[in-house]
Amino acid sequence: MVSSTHVGRYREIAEVLARHGLGFLSGITGLERWFPFHHGVLGHEPRGMPYTNPEHLRLAFEQLGPMFIKLGQLLSTRSDLLPPEYLQELARLQDGAPPVPVETVRRLVQQELGDVPEELFAGFDGEPLASASIGQAHAAILKDGTRVVVKVRRPGVVARIQEDLEILQNLAAQAARRWEAADDDDLTGLAEEFARTLRAELDYLQEGRNAERFAGNFAGDPDIHIPRVFWRTTTSRVLTLERISGVKIDDLEGLDRAGIDRRPLAGRAVAAIA
């Protein structure tokens, strides 16, 4: 049964898929009931949008918001589910979003921590370091001079993601009934596991506990450093972490400029995963 509170979102998802010529997904998941066939739900290439099918899928996920962006990022790692051209395109999904106004950030920090950032920290940069679909990161300095990053969860993001996760699980169940391949690949199980993982990501307290557990696991390894969590300024919606600098492992030019030998770096990364 479809919750009446989700009707508008079902229609929005169906419309975005149809706009990008992905109406076949509506047929597989039962979304076709929410969108008339004369609007192109059968999956024809939308006029004036000369993209490849993988590009259309990426663009649709971007337009549908945080949960779908996270889903696309996950799918980009699943060569057992999608062909290479889709994996490459979905890997381009960026978890970016327009910045939350600094006044909104100040108000949220005050609600969570009891005071405005300027009183809690020796310094707090209102210009975000990064603005993602779930949270926004700001550079700050603790009263003892420690450089930190303060992550603030976006207002309203939990309700939207929770709604989309419910919808995703419903669509996966429909797909398993209508499409043999979906049942074979256990899409319902994948959707449930994805939902558990993403719900955990919404809780910064759990993220902090995970960071401390990783730090404990690698306490004796000089090659791995996990940022310290500062619990006095951490809640489920605000997370304060030690600020560290570095180079992304896929930034080959940056690694070369820093004089980092990639071969031993790859070896250390493999050893850490193993």
Side-chain angles (χ1 to χ4, degrees):
M1 178 176 291
V2 175
S3 168
S4 61
T5 61
H6 295 338
V7 169
R9 184 58 171 163
Y10 275 106
R11 287 176 178 158
E12 183 180 0
I13 294 169
E15 288 173 4
V16 170
L17 293 179
R19 193 180 310 135
H20 285 281
L22 300 168
F24 67 93
L25 291 176
S26 295
I28 291 169
T29 58
L31 274 170
E32 79 279 355
R33 78 187 80 170
W34 304 109
F35 202 69
F37 282 92
H38 65 270
H39 280 282
V41 76
L42 293 178
H44 301 300
E45 177 79 4
R47 184 172 298 175
M49 298 182 72
Y51 300 112
T52 64
N53 286 336
E55 286 174 327
H56 275 300
L57 183 60
R58 173 179 62 81
L59 291 167
F61 279 0
E62 287 177 345
Q63 291 174 20
L64 287 170
M67 192 282 288
F68 285 89
I69 291 172
K70 296 291 187 183
L71 176 62
Q73 291 171 342
L74 171 65
L75 291 175
S76 74
T77 68
R78 296 299 301 263
S79 58
D80 56 324
L81 297 177
L82 293 173
E85 59 271 22
Y86 281 87
L87 301 178
Q88 293 170 8
E89 190 61 35
L90 291 178
R92 296 180 56 205
L93 278 169
Q94 299 298 312
D95 195 21
V100 177
V102 65
E103 285 306 313
T104 302
V105 171
R106 292 178 76 255
R107 184 166 59 251
L108 194 150
V109 168
Q110 185 172 22
Q111 290 171 352
E112 290 295 303
L113 302 178
D115 212 336
V116 293
E118 292 80 5
E119 295 296 326
L120 294 166
F121 301 95
F124 185 89
D125 190 351
E127 189 70 24
L129 291 169
S131 184
S133 57
I134 290 179
Q136 184 162 294
H138 291 260
I141 302 173
L142 298 181
K143 295 292 181 69
D144 65 3
T146 303
R147 296 168 71 245
V148 295
V149 172
V150 181
K151 289 175 60 177
V152 179
R153 199 175 68 197
R154 284 181 171 272
V157 72
V158 171
R160 170 45 61 94
I161 288 181
Q162 294 284 24
E163 177 182 34
D164 281 352
L165 286 174
E166 288 185 13
I167 289 173
L168 177 67
Q169 291 176 274
N170 290 339
L171 297 181
Q174 287 290 332
R177 297 188 189 98
R178 294 165 174 243
W179 188 30
E180 186 176 347
D183 192 33
D184 293 342
D185 290 328
D186 190 21
L187 284 194
T188 53
L190 291 173
E192 289 171 5
E193 178 61 28
F194 172 69
R196 283 194 296 271
T197 301
L198 187 50
R199 287 187 176 113
E201 190 175 337
L202 295 172
D203 183 357
Y204 286 167
L205 288 174
Q206 183 161 340
E207 183 175 339
R209 289 191 292 269
N210 289 341
E212 288 198 335
R213 185 165 64 252
F214 278 118
N217 291 342
F218 293 102
D221 192 332
D223 292 326
I224 297 177
H225 180 79
I226 308 297
R228 178 185 170 192
V229 180
F230 293 91
W231 290 105
R232 286 176 63 98
T233 48
T234 291
T235 69
S236 62
R237 300 172 70 192
V238 177
L239 174 62
T240 303
L241 296 169
E242 172 191 5
R243 185 175 183 182
I244 59 176
S245 59
V247 181
K248 285 187 176 181
I249 198 166
D250 59 353
D251 181 1
L252 302 184
E253 292 183 0
L255 293 173
D256 291 341
R257 284 194 302 271
I260 297 173
D261 191 333
R262 298 182 213 163
R263 188 176 296 274
L265 174 64
R268 291 197 296 271
V270 171
I273 295 171

